Amino acid sequence: MVRTVAVCSLFRNRTRGVDYFRAALEAQAGPDLRLVFSFVEGDSTDDTKARLDEWAREDSRVHLQKIDVEPVANFADRVAKWAALGNAAIEGLAGCEYDYLLWCESDLCIPPDLVQQLALNDVDIVAPGIFLGGLFYDTWGFRGLDGRRFENLAPHHPTYQPFALIELSSVGSTVLFRRAVIDSGVRFRGVHENGLLVGMCNDARARGFRVFLDSRLAIVHPTSSWRAQQYELGRVRVEPSGADLPLDLLAAKAPLLGSPELPPDHAVLADLRAALELHYRPFALRTELHSETKKQYTLVIQEAR
């Protein structure tokens, strides 16, 4: 039986990765596996769009849209626009025949038989594990049936098993959906905590579909592109005065953040809190978005009244 898999991906400033990603995806096809692609590019400041245009000219299976969303007002706006772009990629498949939809982030390293191996599971929704160096990467998207998120360090979750098909409440990063899930109306939701791929999985489960992790399969998030996605310190503000502190006072202790909206007690801020305790007793700490374009966050020090 020949099956068709539609691959959906988003691109921004991926010039150096387009050739690899194209080769990795095209390698998935075989005598019993056909591919079609729906891509969305937006806001690139390099020649990503030109590279994708070339791919589309050479391959009639490629459906390409350009949708710019900058400027982004805040993190919530970023998530909402990310969801809208994802839904645009899905809707770009209108009129295409396919059996499965593979959502695949365009900055990942994937093995050439990934799609075939995922499809062999014959389940509604399934994802491979995803790792960054020696750590499990997508601890936001992968959640157990108890709602508990995966952890970076092994064993990752109480129900985790190596080389097994494990039922979860949600998965992320690279996900294979049976066509019936998409036809049921499941789409990206543009809220952070339970939206995006997590929201798609939650909505699918509410319709009776089941979600799995195949821990026999793994993909890798390159450390170089991961670092480029982090937020760096852009401003330090003291409240209630509203005064700004020079960045160099805290630059050595300020970590790169994966999100500008981390909880104040997050472990990544521990060294920073320890340094601030020398000057502020007591105080509260929070982070907020400073500039999405520049990938910077504001550190807010709230002095006790």
Side-chain angles (χ1 to χ4, degrees), residues 58-74:
E58 296 173 354
D59 190 340
S60 62
R61 299 173 298 177
V62 176
H63 302 259
L64 177 61
Q65 304 174 69
K66 179 172 181 58
I67 305 175
D68 295 326
V69 297
E70 295 284 356
V72 174
N74 50 45

Side-chain angles (χ1 to χ4, degrees), residues 69-119:
V69 297
E70 295 284 356
V72 174
N74 50 45
F75 192 68
D77 186 41
R78 177 192 181 199
V79 174
K81 289 176 176 176
W82 195 96
L85 293 173
N87 289 333
I90 294 175
E91 300 310 325
L93 295 167
C96 296
E97 294 294 328
Y98 61 94
D99 303 293
Y100 293 92
L101 184 148
L102 178 76
W103 179 264
C104 187
E105 296 180 2
S106 62
D107 59 350
L108 302 177
C109 297
I110 60 176
D113 62 346
L114 176 69
V115 175
Q116 180 183 23
Q117 295 300 323
L118 288 174

Side-chain angles (χ1 to χ4, degrees), residues 10-67:
L10 307 181
F11 294 81
R12 180 177 182 269
N13 290 340
R14 293 294 301 149
T15 292
R16 297 179 65 184
V18 169
D19 288 346
Y20 164 77
F21 195 65
R22 177 177 180 177
L25 289 183
E26 291 179 343
Q28 308 294 323
D32 59 349
L33 185 63
R34 295 174 180 167
L35 300 173
V36 62
F37 307 103
S38 180
F39 299 148
V40 177
E41 181 279 331
D43 296 293
S44 294
T45 56
D46 58 16
D47 65 348
T48 297
K49 178 61 164 51
R51 302 296 292 276
L52 292 172
D53 283 336
E54 180 181 3
W55 185 356
R57 286 193 299 270
E58 296 173 354
D59 190 340
S60 62
R61 299 173 298 177
V62 176
H63 302 259
L64 177 61
Q65 304 174 69
K66 179 172 181 58
I67 305 175

